[in-house]
Amino acid sequence: MLLTDTPIEIPLIVTAVNAGRTAQARLASMGILPGEKLMVLRNDINGPLVLEVKGTRVAIGRGLCQKVMVSPGNEESKE
Amino acid sequence: MGKEITIAFAGNPNSGKTTIFNRITGAHQHVGNYPGVTVDIKEGKRNIDGLPVKFIDLPGTYSLTALSEEELVSRNFIVESKPDVVIDVLDASTLERQLYLAVQLIELGVPLVLAFNMTDVAEKAGFKFDIPLLSDLLGIPIVQTTATSGKGLAELLQTALSVARQKIEHEPKPLVYGKELDTEIDRIVTRLSSTEVNPYIDLPLKWSAIKLLENDSEVVSDFMNTGGDVGELFDAVEGSRQRLARIYSDPADMLIAEARYGIISGAASEAVTRTVEERHNFSDRLDKVLINPFVGMPIFLVLMYLVFWLTFTIGDPLMGWLETGFAWLGGTVNGWFGEGSESPIRSLLVDGIIGGVGGVIVFLPNIMLLFISIAVLEDTGYMARAAFIMDRLMHKIGLHGKSFIPMLIGFGCSVPAIMGTRILENKRDRLVTILIIPLMSCGARLPIYALIIPAFFPSHLQGPMLWTIYVIGIILAVVLAKLLRTTIFKGESSPFVMELPPYRTPTIQGLLIHAWDRGRMYLKKAGTIILAISILLWWATAYPKLQIYSDDYDSQLETLRIDYETELMDVNLELGLPDGFDNIKIALDKWIEDDRSELTTTNSLLADRFLETVIEIDEIRIGFDRAVDEQGLIENTPDFITVKYVFESRLTELEESKPDYFPIAENYLDNILSPYLAQSSEIEFKIYEENLNYSIMGRFGRFLEPVFRPMGYDWKLVTATLGALAAKEVFVAQLGIVFSVGEADSASSSLRQKLMDNYSPLIGFCIMLFSLISAPCVATLVVTRSETRSWGWALFQFFGLTVLAWILTTLVYQVGTFFGIGV
Ligand SMILES: Nc1nc2c(ncn2[C@@H]2O[C@H](COP(=O)(O)OP(=O)(O)OP(=O)(O)O)[C@@H](O)[C@H]2O)c(=O)[nH]1
Ligand SMILES: [Mg+2]
């Protein structure tokens, strides 16, 4: 499912990042890439989302978040 | 003696590089609690064991790809300057993310030491590191540090020096990316080792192989630019990519990124344990409120208001002291030259230097306070939240929240603000932000407002007026950004990605260093550029001297004086004093010269009583004027009438207690002294006007006056505006000079008073409006040119804003005049 559609404060796992090359690399450098865990801390009606990734808090624009696919993290994750 | 050793600090943004750098070198570089404080390479030197060691503070980066300016700056520095050792500073409390960069530094093959900084924070968060094991797994020395307290820094330095002197073998363990990736990397390495073309001879072949596989734009173009035959090599890389694509869905660069994190989590799972798992720490709880979509914005606005309120309420009394100090200094220096001296040195010292530079230095407290406030926002970590909150709005004008940080810094000074735009990855975002930053009213423009506003606006309107000016700047910036974004700079803005650092308590020391740093820069500017320009402007304003005036002013002044003295003799008679008794005249002259402060005694009781009465009446009247001024009372309002009644009853009281002297004293003040002073200052003003008109500045100003006329400017304001090009503060200095050259008592009567006498509130507003929008100072012009690498943009900004300023100010002045507002 889309990162923007998930409830907040539940563990998630990134399954795909369907953004352009630069954006992908940028997200990867912040620790957001397939197989990594994260959590949404804030998701308001509009404006950027706040994610918790690897112990840091990162604000990411909504548009970019819509390109990130996730699945619930406590389920058996694909590896 | 060996060669100089170079040690470079690399690391993620906000990990404490600059703090360590400052601690070790004793420098005072700016630290701040948001990512991207250091945007430039900073150098520091220190002798260690008698050997010079050079330290380099690099901008923080999350990776070493060619994604943003800072990443390239850092990578190119490491690749090209080959420091003897790189210290990667990591925030140990978010180790795994931070190690991503470390892995890339290992790939680069540079001699490396890891500083696990913020151990204090990591310990509190419950992290335990098996340092020897971790160091062994990566093959890199690791030192634990707490930069803020200095813990571990000596050891860090020793380790780094040992690595640099090759006392410690530098042999990182080969990184394992996984079977398929390793096979493909090896293939490219084999191909590379058999080819002549390699722009990176000094770097490991494996690094080039990885970068080629990642399709790193810089590396690929460097290979192409060698001019050699890279066809086969590129074919081989493409082949590897295709083989990988058959197995994995992600592109090669993603696979490599995933593999790096794989290496990291492998090492971390062995050597890092976490004893307590805390959810919802302090920062999280605070963020629940501060970046809440409903209350976040109001809180932000209140904080902004607080910043400016503080700057003025605390700054103004301090400024008052400095003003008094300079007035005293001017008076003292004046005193050295004796009564009414025409000495050009007196004029240079008092009018040119004390008047010009002093007029600028008095604003030091305001400026330092403004910078302290901005530093508090930075050091606590609130700045990143402000960017977050503003993102929604900034989006509407085609920028994103991160642009907001440099814009906010722009309220302090445009120069660091424009440099700070490097945190923006997208070139278009960056250019638009740079172009509009001068509209954020900088600290140097504050003196202009602080001079003008109290001169023309009653005190209850002063705060709102200042607020209005700032808001006008912001609105214009917004409109301009939108305009630029839909015309010259069309296109997507880069996505908003920004780390929100944990909140920290700023250290007093840090804030003071910061404020002092800015204060010193301001003083330096006052002592150099502004001093030089003040002297130049003074000279151009005072020379050449007019020899023959259009009228015989001297004899007119003499006649006035004789009339005044005759009338004083009548007062003598009325009091019953002997004809020819001179003491009253002498005492009054002295009293007027001393700014109506002290009275010398005559040796006649009658005369003393009379003089006391004169002074008491005068004091009551001044008290009334001051009360009206301070409370901003408007004539005929109930408040005004009440105050007036209070003072009038005091006068009546006085009249009753001294019935013999009161009428004579009142008559003297109203019918003898006032007309005399008014008439003689009118003549003095004519003399001074003729002199100014004749001076170089006067001629030059009048030459340009027609251009400025539509905005209500006279040539005096024109000259000040020209001076302001060098630095905005000069505007105030030059006005001070223009209104004081040629007057004997220059330092004493206030510039504000003179402005009030000469201009209308409408013009006052126009002065502020034009100063706000028009041509940024020369320093801004230069930094825009160096950041955009083009004179074109710098000049576009310079002239574009000036034309805009002219149009808007003219509009305001003409409309204002037409409707009779503030004229
Ligand atoms: N508690 C704690 N705070 C630290 C430590 N080291 C640095 N800080 C704080 O962390 C913040 C960031 O420090 P800087 O030195 O500006 O970080 P930087 O790595 O230079 O950041 P950029 O220039 O943005 O790349 C500041 O508020 C420092 O006071 C530490 O060891 N412990
Ligand atoms: Mg720094």
Side-chain angles (χ1 to χ4, degrees):
Chain A
M1 73 189 122
L2 281 182
L3 182 58
T4 43
D5 298 337
T6 57
I8 59 166
E9 296 188 357
I10 62 155
L12 302 167
I13 286 194
V14 180
T15 52
V17 178
N18 304 318
R21 240 174 69 85
T22 339
Q24 261 185 354
R26 172 106 294 191
L27 288 178
S29 71
M30 310 295 296
I32 302 166
L33 68 172
E36 296 296 333
K37 283 184 277 190
L38 57 76
M39 197 154 83
V40 180
L41 293 183
R42 183 170 272 284
N43 182 358
D44 303 317
I45 329 120
N46 55 20
L49 277 71
V50 180
L51 310 178
E52 190 191 284
V53 195
K54 294 184 178 294
T56 61
R57 270 147 212 79
V58 191
I60 313 258
R62 183 160 296 265
L64 188 51
C65 285
Q66 277 159 349
K67 296 174 180 157
V68 178
M69 306 295 293
V70 290
S71 64
N74 32 18
E75 273 179 19
E76 202 51 36
S77 53
K78 65 131 210 185
E79 271 294 290
Chain B
M1 239 173 62
K3 81 167 196 30
E4 186 180 70
I5 289 175
T6 308
I7 299 179
F9 293 102
N12 277 16
N14 213 26
S15 64
K17 296 173 295 298
T18 304
T19 313
I20 295 188
F21 173 87
N22 283 351
R23 278 258 174 190
I24 289 184
T25 60
H28 298 302
Q29 288 302 338
H30 179 196
V31 300
N33 185 20
Y34 69 89
V37 178
T38 308
V39 288
D40 212 0
I41 292 177
K42 297 272 157 56
E43 237 186 72
K45 280 193 179 158
R46 200 184 121 182
N47 277 344
I48 295 163
D49 310 332
L51 289 178
V53 179
K54 191 157 86 181
F55 295 89
I56 310 286
D57 185 20
L58 293 173
T61 58
Y62 291 107
S63 76
L64 288 181
T65 46
L67 285 182
S68 73
E69 190 94 351
E70 299 125 281
E71 295 196 349
L72 264 182
V73 167
S74 293
R75 184 168 97 188
N76 289 345
F77 178 85
I78 294 169
V79 170
E80 281 155 24
S81 313
K82 297 186 201 67
D84 296 286
V85 53
V86 174
I87 297 180
D88 180 6
V89 180
L90 301 99
D91 174 351
S93 66
T94 59
L95 192 66
E96 289 196 30
R97 215 276 313 285
Q98 308 260 336
L99 279 170
Y100 187 63
L101 178 75
V103 170
Q104 295 179 58
L105 286 167
I106 297 174
E107 287 170 357
L108 259 181
V110 285
L112 192 64
V113 175
L114 301 186
F116 278 22
N117 193 34
M118 310 223 181
T119 22
D120 55 333
V121 185
E123 248 164 45
K124 260 205 214 110
F127 285 105
K128 287 248 155 18
F129 306 105
D130 186 340
I131 296 291
L133 177 61
L134 207 49
S135 172
D136 209 45
L137 286 171
L138 298 171
I140 306 285
I142 299 173
V143 181
Q144 286 186 295
T145 60
T146 302
T148 36
S149 71
K151 214 177 104 198
L153 295 186
E155 192 195 339
L156 177 65
L157 194 55
Q158 276 318 312
T159 313
L161 288 174
S162 312
V163 171
R165 292 174 187 141
Q166 277 134 21
K167 281 193 190 129
I168 297 181
E169 271 309 299
H170 171 71
E171 44 181 351
K173 300 278 156 57
L175 299 169
V176 181
Y177 297 84
K179 197 163 139 268
E180 284 82 10
L181 267 176
D182 281 336
T183 318
E184 298 307 332
I185 292 171
D186 283 345
R187 274 195 198 167
I188 303 173
V189 167
T190 320
R191 179 71 57 171
L192 273 169
S193 56
S194 63
T195 167
E196 295 290 285
V197 280
N198 183 358
Y200 305 108
I201 324 246
D202 299 325
L203 296 179
L205 290 178
K206 196 169 166 185
W207 182 77
S208 301
I210 292 172
K211 287 290 146 190
L212 286 171
L213 201 53
E214 275 183 340
N215 207 3
D216 183 286
S217 55
E218 277 268 311
V219 172
V220 169
S221 75
D222 278 350
F223 266 90
M224 306 235 258
N225 290 342
T226 52
D229 182 16
V230 289
E232 251 180 69
L233 177 65
F234 282 12
D235 284 347
V237 174
E238 193 46 45
S240 292
R241 268 199 218 116
Q242 273 164 16
R243 271 188 297 279
L244 288 169
R246 258 176 254 138
I247 315 171
Y248 302 102
S249 56
D250 292 327
D253 52 343
M254 276 294 107
L255 292 177
I256 294 169
E258 286 166 33
R260 286 187 190 125
Y261 277 110
I263 295 166
I264 295 164
S265 59
S269 65
E270 283 186 56
V272 183
T273 49
R274 193 164 186 185
T275 49
V276 283
E277 189 78 25
E278 47 151 14
R279 287 260 69 92
H280 298 302
N281 57 25
F282 175 69
S283 289
D284 285 329
R285 283 199 300 271
L286 206 52
D287 271 345
K288 281 250 180 307
V289 182
L290 292 184
I291 58 175
N292 182 294
F294 302 107
V295 295
M297 194 50 139
I299 293 178
F300 167 75
L301 290 175
V302 168
L303 281 175
M304 288 300 100
Y305 188 80
L306 217 64
V307 164
F308 290 101
W309 181 81
L310 268 180
T311 305
F312 285 94
T313 38
I314 304 184
D316 274 352
L318 296 175
M319 188 175 124
W321 293 347
L322 284 178
E323 262 173 348
T324 320
F326 276 108
W328 172 84
L329 189 67
T332 312
V333 174
N334 237 341
W336 297 344
F337 292 89
E339 183 69 15
S341 162
E342 292 290 313
S343 156
I345 297 178
R346 182 207 68 83
S347 178
L348 171 65
L349 285 176
V350 178
D351 304 332
I353 297 178
I354 299 176
V357 177
V360 172
I361 289 182
V362 292
F363 294 99
L364 185 67
N366 296 72
I367 301 232
M368 280 175 68
L369 281 164
L370 184 62
F371 275 108
I372 290 184
S373 308
I374 291 178
V376 170
L377 295 182
E378 289 181 350
D379 290 0
T380 50
Y382 185 75
M383 205 60 125
R385 272 73 184 184
F388 180 90
I389 296 171
M390 289 305 285
D391 188 65
R392 270 169 259 238
L393 284 181
M394 300 291 281
H395 237 84
K396 298 212 165 74
I397 60 168
L399 293 172
H400 67 51
K402 265 200 211 175
S403 290
F404 186 71
I405 294 180
M407 283 166 72
L408 199 61
I409 296 173
F411 285 122
C413 175
S414 300
V415 173
I418 288 174
M419 293 183 70
T421 58
R422 291 192 195 177
I423 58 171
L424 302 169
E425 298 100 37
N426 181 301
K427 204 164 169 108
R428 285 185 300 262
D429 289 349
R430 233 193 120 192
L431 266 172
V432 173
T433 313
I434 288 177
L435 291 176
I436 61 169
I437 276 176
L439 288 170
M440 302 290 110
S441 187
C442 70
R445 273 170 267 192
L446 209 58
I448 305 179
Y449 312 144
L451 175 74
I452 302 282
I453 291 178
F456 294 108
F457 301 93
S459 58
H460 67 279
L461 282 182
Q462 290 175 5
M465 202 61 229
L466 185 71
W467 200 230
T468 309
I469 290 289
Y470 276 91
V471 170
I472 289 175
I474 297 169
I475 292 174
L476 281 176
V478 165
V479 173
L480 217 61
K482 183 81 195 166
L483 199 71
L484 289 169
R485 217 63 179 77
T486 46
T487 53
I488 318 177
F489 299 104
K490 263 207 209 102
E492 277 285 294
S493 78
S494 68
F496 180 68
V497 176
M498 180 157 158
E499 196 178 344
L500 301 177
Y503 289 100
R504 294 198 177 99
T505 326
T507 61
I508 300 291
Q509 189 202 9
L511 294 182
L512 289 183
I513 285 179
H514 193 79
W516 172 233
D517 222 40
R518 291 294 165 185
R520 218 180 42 199
M521 265 166 64
Y522 187 76
L523 281 179
K524 202 172 136 197
K525 195 156 84 167
T528 52
I529 306 184
I530 295 177
L531 176 66
I533 294 171
S534 289
I535 292 176
L536 187 78
L537 290 177
W538 164 81
W539 174 80
T541 311
Y543 290 93
K545 288 265 181 243
L546 187 62
Q547 301 304 332
I548 303 154
Y549 295 94
S550 67
D551 218 338
D552 191 356
Y553 294 124
D554 282 346
S555 71
Q556 286 179 12
L557 280 173
E558 213 161 299
T559 321
L560 269 180
R561 177 75 197 176
I562 292 169
D563 288 352
Y564 170 74
E565 287 183 3
T566 324
E567 282 172 286
L568 254 186
M569 284 305 131
D570 292 345
V571 171
N572 260 353
L573 292 181
E574 270 179 76
L575 285 167
L577 287 162
D579 203 11
F581 177 79
D582 264 350
N583 289 3
I584 286 188
K585 185 180 78 195
I586 294 165
L588 281 170
D589 281 348
K590 185 114 187 55
W591 173 63
I592 292 162
E593 185 167 312
D594 282 353
D595 259 339
R596 308 191 175 201
S597 55
E598 242 170 280
L599 189 65
T600 42
T601 51
T602 59
N603 35 30
S604 145
L605 199 63
L606 269 179
D608 280 351
R609 281 284 142 73
F610 162 71
L611 288 169
E612 273 163 35
T613 320
V614 166
I615 288 168
E616 275 171 60
I617 296 175
D618 192 54
E619 270 169 4
I620 293 172
R621 285 177 176 174
I622 290 174
F624 173 68
D625 288 346
R626 191 174 296 150
V628 169
D629 205 41
E630 272 169 12
Q631 300 169 35
L633 298 178
I634 299 159
E635 226 161 305
N636 295 330
T637 56
D639 280 350
F640 181 85
I641 292 167
T642 320
V643 172
K644 193 167 174 183
Y645 177 76
V646 170
F647 282 95
E648 268 173 3
S649 57
R650 267 190 225 167
L651 282 178
T652 325
E653 229 173 83
L654 185 65
E655 184 168 12
E656 277 160 11
S657 68
K658 293 183 176 157
D660 297 340
Y661 303 99
F662 191 88
I664 308 175
E666 201 177 31
N667 177 51
Y668 165 73
L669 276 171
D670 290 345
N671 302 326
I672 303 175
L673 184 64
S674 296
Y676 165 64
L677 288 180
Q679 283 164 9
S680 55
S681 71
E682 206 172 291
I683 294 172
E684 264 159 17
F685 192 72
K686 277 189 195 148
I687 298 176
Y688 139 81
E689 281 250 271
E690 276 192 32
N691 260 322
L692 264 184
N693 267 322
Y694 190 71
S695 72
I696 297 179
M697 217 37 171
R699 294 176 210 194
F700 196 53
R702 263 178 314 163
F703 175 71
L704 283 176
E705 200 184 50
V707 182
F708 288 82
R709 196 67 250 176
M711 314 191 301
Y713 275 38
D714 63 5
W715 62 269
K716 289 176 208 152
L717 295 175
V718 174
T719 64
T721 306
L722 295 178
L725 287 180
K728 292 274 175 187
E729 302 93 320
V730 172
F731 187 91
V732 174
Q734 170 63 4
L735 273 189
I737 294 169
V738 165
F739 280 103
S740 68
V741 166
E743 270 184 73
D745 63 338
S746 51
S748 59
S749 73
S750 90
L751 180 55
R752 276 191 196 133
Q753 186 60 45
K754 289 171 193 154
L755 290 177
M756 261 196 280
D757 297 344
N758 282 282
Y759 304 111
S760 65
L762 178 63
I763 294 180
F765 182 79
C766 287
I767 293 173
M768 294 193 286
L769 192 63
F770 190 78
S771 309
L772 167 72
I773 312 168
S774 71
C777 67
V778 174
T780 307
L781 182 77
V782 171
V783 75
T784 299
R785 134 75 223 166
S786 66
E787 289 298 310
T788 57
R789 299 206 188 87
S790 126
W791 275 113
W793 288 123
L795 294 173
F796 174 73
Q797 183 187 47
F798 194 84
F799 290 109
L801 289 175
T802 309
V803 170
L804 179 70
W806 187 88
I807 294 172
L808 287 178
T809 316
T810 301
L811 207 69
V812 167
Y813 182 71
Q814 295 303 337
V815 170
T817 315
F818 186 77
F819 290 105
I821 305 164
V823 286

